[in-house]
Amino acid sequence: PVPTDADLVDAGRAIAAQRATSPFLVYLRDKAILFNDRRTAFIMYGVQGRTWVALGDPVGPEPELSALIRDFLERCDDFGGVPVFYEVGKLHLHLYADFGLTFVKLGEEAKVNLTTFTLEGSHASRYRQAIKRLEKDGGSFRIIEPAGVPGVMTQLRTVSDDWLAAKASAEKGFSLGFFDESYLTRFPVGVIERNDRIEAFANIWRGAGGEEVSIDLMRYHRDAPKGVMEALFVHLLIWGRDH
């Protein structure tokens, strides 16, 4: 079932009870939600054939997670489904091992420690060059808070549509954000502007407790200056460090 507005309100409370940012993908509404009995924790999942794919770890307070994994496995069993937990972190691997699940490594997760991130020193020359190149090309960076996002939605859509056309690509979803107005208005958006026109953007997930900040949707227009996304990333690292 598609999540209701009430489901997303309860999911928001569960997200606030932990510090990861990837659970914000629940707001795409393209996954079903399995709550625990008290609706303080949830698993988001999709079904493809006989495969039931839970996205990430269960979301919510730590003491609730193991029982919720059991609930999901039991629901899969009820419907003859094959359970998969996709993109789980290493912190909770022992919980899945307890239920006899096996592990397959698919990739790495890139993280930057913002407490030590700096633009000083020779090792950071590339970062400084990215910012200077953007300034030379007449570009500037700013953060648009959620309340201001509807006012620039037309510009964001223009950039997104051009990016999709240039990549000859369609939107994906599930474990990646896609362009959806109701989804984007929930988050701040970092933009690169030139001549009062947005030429690149990324929406930003801010985790509870200020421990983690992530970039989700990343789009740029074909007319944007060279290296625009590198400059956007550096600006977002600076912004994240300062906040």
Side-chain angles (χ1 to χ4, degrees):
V2 176
T4 65
D5 290 343
D7 289 336
L8 293 184
V9 170
D10 289 342
R13 283 194 284 266
I15 291 172
Q18 51 85 68
R19 299 192 174 188
T21 53
S22 57
F24 286 122
L25 286 166
V26 73
Y27 291 117
L28 290 172
R29 293 183 187 259
D30 65 344
K31 293 169 282 291
I33 302 176
L34 173 65
F35 285 101
N36 62 346
D37 290 339
R38 297 192 298 144
R39 295 177 72 87
T40 57
F42 70 91
I43 285 174
M44 49 184 159
Y45 68 95
V47 178
Q48 182 68 37
R50 291 185 59 234
T51 306
W52 290 49
V53 185
L55 180 59
D57 294 301
V59 181
E62 190 75 23
E64 306 291 334
L65 305 189
S66 181
L68 193 51
I69 292 173
R70 179 186 295 108
D71 290 345
F72 181 74
L73 296 177
E74 290 177 350
R75 175 167 290 196
C76 291
D77 188 56
D78 289 343
F79 287 89
V82 178
V84 175
F85 285 85
Y86 177 58
E87 291 190 351
V88 299
K90 62 183 180 181
L91 183 62
H92 298 113
L93 289 183
H94 64 286
L95 297 180
Y96 305 105
D98 289 344
F99 292 103
L101 296 176
T102 56
F103 306 104
V104 177
K105 182 178 178 181
L106 295 179
E108 302 283 351
E109 192 172 39
K111 293 187 176 183
V112 176
N113 186 344
L114 295 179
T115 63
T116 58
F117 178 75
T118 178
L119 295 182
E120 305 298 325
S122 58
H123 73 284
S125 61
R126 179 180 176 183
Y127 308 146
R128 296 194 299 271
Q129 290 169 6
I131 292 178
K132 290 178 181 177
R133 185 167 58 240
L134 178 68
E135 293 173 348
K136 184 178 179 181
D137 290 333
S140 61
F141 165 83
R142 70 179 173 117
I143 293 289
I144 302 174
E145 292 295 334
V149 172
V152 298
M153 191 63 71
T154 300
Q155 289 194 64
L156 297 180
R157 182 174 289 280
T158 297
V159 172
S160 180
D161 288 348
D162 183 81
W163 186 87
L164 289 169
K167 301 291 184 183
S169 176
E171 297 281 18
K172 293 182 172 62
F174 192 73
S175 61
L176 297 169
F178 54 81
F179 195 97
D180 177 80
E181 293 190 7
S182 62
Y183 172 70
L184 287 174
T185 53
R186 291 180 176 273
F187 309 106
V189 176
V191 300
I192 297 294
E193 295 171 304
R194 201 165 51 155
N195 299 321
D196 297 321
R197 189 181 80 164
I198 295 175
E199 296 193 339
F201 73 89
N203 67 306
I204 306 161
W205 295 333
R206 289 186 287 204
E211 183 172 308
E212 182 172 291
V213 60
S214 296
I215 302 167
D216 178 32
L217 207 63
M218 300 174 283
R219 305 278 159 98
Y220 62 91
H221 197 278
R222 69 186 73 192
D223 295 335
K226 183 179 179 181
V228 65
M229 295 310 288
E230 186 174 14
L232 177 58
F233 294 156
V234 174
H235 274 294
L236 287 171
L237 289 167
I238 297 169
W239 175 84
R241 179 195 65 190
D242 293 345
H243 289 78

